[in-house]
mmCIF file of all heavy atoms in Angstrom:
data_model
loop_
_atom_site.group_PDB
_atom_site.id
_atom_site.type_symbol
_atom_site.label_atom_id
_atom_site.label_comp_id
_atom_site.label_asym_id
_atom_site.label_seq_id
_atom_site.Cartn_x
_atom_site.Cartn_y
_atom_site.Cartn_z
ATOM 1 N N GLU Y 10 -73.391 -49.854 69.219
ATOM 2 C CA GLU Y 10 -72.094 -49.452 68.654
ATOM 3 C C GLU Y 10 -72.196 -48.067 68.024
ATOM 4 O O GLU Y 10 -71.276 -47.262 68.171
ATOM 5 C CB GLU Y 10 -71.655 -50.477 67.599
ATOM 6 C CG GLU Y 10 -71.183 -51.799 68.164
ATOM 7 C CD GLU Y 10 -70.876 -52.805 67.130
ATOM 8 O OE1 GLU Y 10 -70.994 -52.418 65.920
ATOM 9 O OE2 GLU Y 10 -70.445 -53.908 67.442
ATOM 10 N N LEU Y 42 -51.559 -49.336 75.744
ATOM 11 C CA LEU Y 42 -50.171 -48.921 76.014
ATOM 12 C C LEU Y 42 -49.389 -48.721 74.700
ATOM 13 O O LEU Y 42 -48.563 -47.807 74.564
ATOM 14 C CB LEU Y 42 -49.488 -49.987 76.881
ATOM 15 C CG LEU Y 42 -49.985 -50.059 78.318
ATOM 16 C CD1 LEU Y 42 -49.293 -51.229 79.063
ATOM 17 C CD2 LEU Y 42 -49.782 -48.774 79.077
ATOM 18 N N SER Y 78 -31.799 -29.040 50.567
ATOM 19 C CA SER Y 78 -32.124 -29.716 49.306
ATOM 20 C C SER Y 78 -33.592 -30.025 49.230
ATOM 21 O O SER Y 78 -34.310 -29.924 50.241
ATOM 22 C CB SER Y 78 -31.308 -31.011 49.152
ATOM 23 O OG SER Y 78 -31.614 -31.869 50.219
ATOM 24 N N SER Y 152 -8.083 -18.646 38.460
ATOM 25 C CA SER Y 152 -8.303 -18.331 37.044
ATOM 26 C C SER Y 152 -9.016 -17.001 36.926
ATOM 27 O O SER Y 152 -9.858 -16.682 37.708
ATOM 28 C CB SER Y 152 -9.167 -19.414 36.434
ATOM 29 O OG SER Y 152 -9.656 -19.002 35.185
ATOM 30 N N VAL Y 308 21.576 0.078 -22.293
ATOM 31 C CA VAL Y 308 21.860 -0.993 -21.302
ATOM 32 C C VAL Y 308 21.064 -0.623 -20.052
ATOM 33 O O VAL Y 308 21.486 0.235 -19.266
ATOM 34 C CB VAL Y 308 23.375 -1.118 -21.019
ATOM 35 C CG1 VAL Y 308 23.606 -2.253 -20.028
ATOM 36 C CG2 VAL Y 308 24.109 -1.346 -22.339
ATOM 37 N N LEU Y 318 30.751 -9.452 -15.253
ATOM 38 C CA LEU Y 318 29.715 -8.459 -15.307
ATOM 39 C C LEU Y 318 28.731 -8.830 -16.415
ATOM 40 O O LEU Y 318 29.142 -8.946 -17.597
ATOM 41 C CB LEU Y 318 30.316 -7.059 -15.580
ATOM 42 C CG LEU Y 318 29.305 -5.917 -15.826
ATOM 43 C CD1 LEU Y 318 28.446 -5.677 -14.603
ATOM 44 C CD2 LEU Y 318 30.071 -4.657 -16.232
ATOM 45 N N GLY Y 344 17.887 -15.389 -25.873
ATOM 46 C CA GLY Y 344 16.669 -16.132 -25.488
ATOM 47 C C GLY Y 344 15.467 -15.222 -25.357
ATOM 48 O O GLY Y 344 14.371 -15.611 -25.754
ATOM 49 N N ASP Y 412 0.106 -7.795 -14.620
ATOM 50 C CA ASP Y 412 0.338 -9.036 -13.840
ATOM 51 C C ASP Y 412 0.119 -8.804 -12.345
ATOM 52 O O ASP Y 412 -0.685 -9.504 -11.712
ATOM 53 C CB ASP Y 412 1.702 -9.574 -14.092
ATOM 54 C CG ASP Y 412 1.951 -10.904 -13.459
ATOM 55 O OD1 ASP Y 412 1.463 -11.965 -13.995
ATOM 56 O OD2 ASP Y 412 2.590 -10.942 -12.389
ATOM 57 N N ASN Y 456 1.559 2.958 -5.589
ATOM 58 C CA ASN Y 456 2.897 3.541 -5.314
ATOM 59 C C ASN Y 456 3.392 3.240 -3.892
ATOM 60 O O ASN Y 456 3.947 4.109 -3.199
ATOM 61 C CB ASN Y 456 2.889 5.029 -5.550
ATOM 62 C CG ASN Y 456 2.421 5.415 -6.916
ATOM 63 O OD1 ASN Y 456 2.628 4.705 -7.913
ATOM 64 N ND2 ASN Y 456 1.750 6.537 -7.032
ATOM 65 N N THR Y 476 4.898 9.970 -4.492
ATOM 66 C CA THR Y 476 3.696 10.371 -5.248
ATOM 67 C C THR Y 476 3.692 9.811 -6.662
ATOM 68 O O THR Y 476 2.690 9.962 -7.385
ATOM 69 C CB THR Y 476 3.644 11.898 -5.341
ATOM 70 O OG1 THR Y 476 4.845 12.382 -5.974
ATOM 71 C CG2 THR Y 476 3.519 12.515 -3.946
ATOM 72 N N ILE Y 491 16.631 0.388 3.576
ATOM 73 C CA ILE Y 491 16.448 0.400 2.136
ATOM 74 C C ILE Y 491 16.305 1.873 1.682
ATOM 75 O O ILE Y 491 15.891 2.749 2.472
ATOM 76 C CB ILE Y 491 15.182 -0.392 1.724
ATOM 77 C CG1 ILE Y 491 13.913 0.190 2.337
ATOM 78 C CG2 ILE Y 491 15.349 -1.860 2.065
ATOM 79 C CD1 ILE Y 491 12.619 -0.377 1.788
ATOM 80 N N THR Y 493 14.541 4.012 -1.600
ATOM 81 C CA THR Y 493 13.639 3.927 -2.719
ATOM 82 C C THR Y 493 13.702 5.225 -3.502
ATOM 83 O O THR Y 493 13.836 6.320 -2.957
ATOM 84 C CB THR Y 493 12.195 3.654 -2.255
ATOM 85 O OG1 THR Y 493 11.763 4.683 -1.359
ATOM 86 C CG2 THR Y 493 12.132 2.280 -1.552
#
Side-chain angles (χ1 to χ4, degrees):
E10 289 175 1
L42 290 175
S78 61
S152 166
V308 181
L318 173 62
D412 186 78
N456 306 327
T476 58
I491 61 170
T493 57

